[in-house]
C-alpha cells in the first residue's frame, strides 16, 4: 500500500482485493478460516473467489486491564493461549490481572463459538491448505493464535492473509505460517481501522449470514460453478476485463455495466450478482473503461462510447465456450446497469433489439440514453431507485415516459442513492433476480 494512505472502502472491498492475490491457492484442498468478527466479511469474499469452504477460528484478544484496546495476548479454541511479552513486561500486569482478563474472555469465546457454529463441527483441516484471514494485523497476537490452532488441527500448509499489516509483520509471524500474503504494509501504522473508509463493527448477525451463505454455496448436493474466472474481451478498440461466473445449468446470463466511480469490484453490484448466481443466472462484471481512461470525466459520461463497448461485449460473450452451448442456442442475455451504466445498458438494448431479454437499472441515469434511444428499447425494463433519492426518482420516471416496452419504476423505501441503508441492497438484489427470472426469453 503506497504512502498516500489509501483506504479500503470496507471489509468487502478489502476481501475482493485480497482474493486477487490468492488465486494460486484455488483448488479442492483449500479451506478458508476467518477470525470473527471483522475477518468474516473479508474471508467470505476470499472463500467465494477460491470456491473454498469457509469456517471460523474463534479468537479473543487479551486486552491490558487499563487499556483494553491494546492486546497483551490472545486465546483461542482448543485451549491455545499466546502472550505478547513486549506488551506485558512494560505494563507490569500481575498474574492475577492476567487470569481475570483470560477468564472473562474465555467465557465470551465459548459463547461465540456456540453461537456461530451451533451443532456444526469444525471443517476438517487435516492435510489441507488453510488460509487464515482477518481484516488486518496490528500486534499479531490473534493471528498467531489462529495459525497455531489450525496447525494443531492438522493443516498441511498455513497461509496467513490480511488486507493490511505493519511493515515488520513477516518478522513477527513468519514462524507460524508457511506463507504470508498482504495487500499493503503502510508506514507509519497505528491502527487497522485507519485504512478503511468504513470500519464499523461487524455484528453477530452478519457473521451468521456470511457463514450461512458460504455453507449453502458449498452444501452437499450443490453443483459447483461451471466457470468462475477472469475473462478479457475486445470492445470498440480496447480489451476489457471482467469476472465471469456461470452456475452449472445456467439458464441465462446478465452483463453488468458499472457507472461513474465504480468498477467490476463494486460490492453493491457483486452482491446483486451473487443473488443472480444463486438463482441459476450467469453473470459477467466488467469495466467499461480502462484504468487510464477512468480519470477522464468526459468518457465516464460518454453514453455512446460506453454503449458501443457494452454492445461489443454482449455480442462476443456468447462465443465463450463456458457460455455458448456447442449444440444449442446461446443463453438469453440480460443487462444490469448502475448510474451511467444504466444509460449504456439501454443504448445496447436499443441496438440489439430481440437479442436482449431484460434490463434492470439500479440508481441509474436512464435519461442520459436520450428519448429516441429509450423509445427503441424492446426488452422489459425495471428501473430501481432509492426512496430518498428524489432527484433520481424524477429522472427515472421521466425516462420511463419515453419507453415503449414493458417497464416499471421500483422505489425501495428509506434507501439513498447508494443503497447503503440496512436491508436496502438486499431488496435491490431480490427485485433484479425476480425481474430476470420472470423475463427469461428474448424479444418484446
Amino acid at each position: 500500500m503506497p504512502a498516500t494512505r489509501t483506504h479500503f472502502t470496507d471489509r468487502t472491498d478489502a476481501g475482493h482485493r485480497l482474493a486477487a492475490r490468492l488465486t494460486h491457492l484455488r483448488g479442492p484442498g483449500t479451506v478458508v478460516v476467518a477470525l470473527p468478527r471483522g475477518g468474516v466479511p473479508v474471508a467470505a469474499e476470499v472463500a467465494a473467489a477460491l470456491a473454498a469452504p469457509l469456517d471460523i477460528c474463534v479468537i479473543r484478544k487479551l486486552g491490558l486491564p487499563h487499556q483494553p484496546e491494546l492486546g497483551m495476548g490472545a486465546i483461542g479454541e482448543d485451549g491455545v493461549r499466546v502472550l505478547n511479552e513486549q506488551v506485558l513486561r512494560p505494563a507490569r500486569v500481575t498474574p492475577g490481572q492476567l487470569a481475570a482478563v483470560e477468564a472473562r474472555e474465555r467465557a465470551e469465546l465459548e459463547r461465540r463459538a456456540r453461537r456461530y457454529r451451533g451443532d456444526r463441527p469444525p471443517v476438517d483441516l487435516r492435510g489441507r491448505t488453510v488460509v487464515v484471514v482477518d481484516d488486518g494485523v496490528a500486534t499479531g497476537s490473534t493471528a498467531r493464535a489462529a495459525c497455531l490452532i489450525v496447525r494443531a488441527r492438522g493443516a498441511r500448509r498455513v497461509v496467513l492473509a490480511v488486507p493490511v499489516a505493519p511493515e515488520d509483520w513477516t518478522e513477527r509471524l513468519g514462524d507460524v505460517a508457511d506463507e504470508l500474503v498482504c495487500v499493503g504494509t503502510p508506514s507509519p501504522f497505528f491502527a487497522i481501522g485507519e485504512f478503511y473508509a468504513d470500519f464499523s463493527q461487524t455484528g453477530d448477525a452478519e457473521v451468521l449470514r456470511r457463514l450461512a451463505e458460504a455453507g449453502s454455496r458449498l452444501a452437499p448436493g450443490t453443483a459447483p460453478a461451471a466457470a468462475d474466472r477472469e475473462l478479457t474481451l475486445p470492445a470498440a478498440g480496447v480489451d476489457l476485463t471482467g469476472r465471469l461466473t456461470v452456475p452449472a445449468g445456467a439458464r441465462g446470463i446478465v452483463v453488468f455495466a458499472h457507472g461513474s466511480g465504480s468498477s467490476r469490484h463494486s460490492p453493491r453490484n457483486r452482491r446483486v450478482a451473487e443473488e443472480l448466481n444463486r438463482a441459476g443466472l450467469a453473470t459477467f462484471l466488467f469495466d467499461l473503461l480502462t484504468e487510464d481512461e477512468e480519470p477522464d470525466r468526459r468518457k465516464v459520461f460518454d453514453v455512446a462510447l460506453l454503449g458501443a463497448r457494452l454492445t461489443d461485449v454482449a455480442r462476443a460473450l456468447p462465443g465463450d465456450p463456458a457460455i455458448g452451448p456447442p449444440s444449442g442456442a446461446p443463453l438469453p442475455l440480460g443487462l444490469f446497469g448502475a448510474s451511467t451504466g444504466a444509460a449504456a445498458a439501454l443504448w445496447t438494448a436499443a441496438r440489439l433489439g430481440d437479442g436482449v431479454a431484460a434490463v434492470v437499472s439500479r440508481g441509474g441515469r436512464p435519461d442520459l440514453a436520450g428519448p429516441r434511444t429509450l423509445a427503441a428499447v424492446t426488452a422489459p425494463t425495471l428501473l430501481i431507485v432509492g426512496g430518498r433519492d428524489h432527484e433520481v426518482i424524477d429522472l427515472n420516471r421521466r425516462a420511463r415516459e419515453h419507453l415503449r416496452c414493458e417497464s416499471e419504476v421500483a422505489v425501495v423505501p428509506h434507501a439513498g442513492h447508494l443503497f447503503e441503508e440496512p436491508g436496502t441492497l438486499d431488496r435491490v438484489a431480490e427485485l433484479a433476480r425476480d425481474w430476470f427470472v420472470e423475463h427469461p426469453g428474448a424479444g418484446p
Side-chain angles (χ1 to χ4, degrees), residues 190-208:
F190 299 107
I192 297 169
E194 66 179 318
F195 304 104
Y196 285 81
D198 178 4
F199 198 63
S200 53
Q201 188 177 61
T202 302
D204 281 354
E206 182 176 0
V207 171
L208 292 170

Side-chain angles (χ1 to χ4, degrees), residues 7-19 34-47 133-136 161-164 183 191-203 206-207 209-210 265-267 270:
H7 283 74
F8 299 106
T9 304
D10 53 20
R11 290 181 177 89
T12 299
D13 174 44
H16 293 159
R17 292 165 64 178
L18 181 60
L35 276 69
R37 292 182 288 189
V40 174
V42 182
E45 302 303 323
V46 173
V133 177
D134 202 357
D135 54 11
V162 294
V164 63
V183 177
I192 297 169
E194 66 179 318
F195 304 104
Y196 285 81
D198 178 4
F199 198 63
S200 53
Q201 188 177 61
T202 302
E206 182 176 0
V207 171
R209 178 177 66 82
R210 296 278 192 165
H265 302 299
S266 160
R270 287 182 64 94

Side-chain angles (χ1 to χ4, degrees), residues 256-259 262 266-270 272 336-342 360-366 382-386 389 392 396 416-419 424-425 428-429 432:
F256 281 65
H258 307 296
S262 187
S266 160
R268 288 175 288 277
N269 285 344
R270 287 182 64 94
V272 175
F336 182 96
S339 190
T340 53
V360 174
S361 161
R362 173 188 62 80
R365 290 292 307 276
L382 176 65
L383 307 174
I384 305 174
V385 289
D389 200 4
V392 173
N396 274 256
H417 183 63
L418 297 178
F419 298 90
T424 58
L425 189 58
V428 171

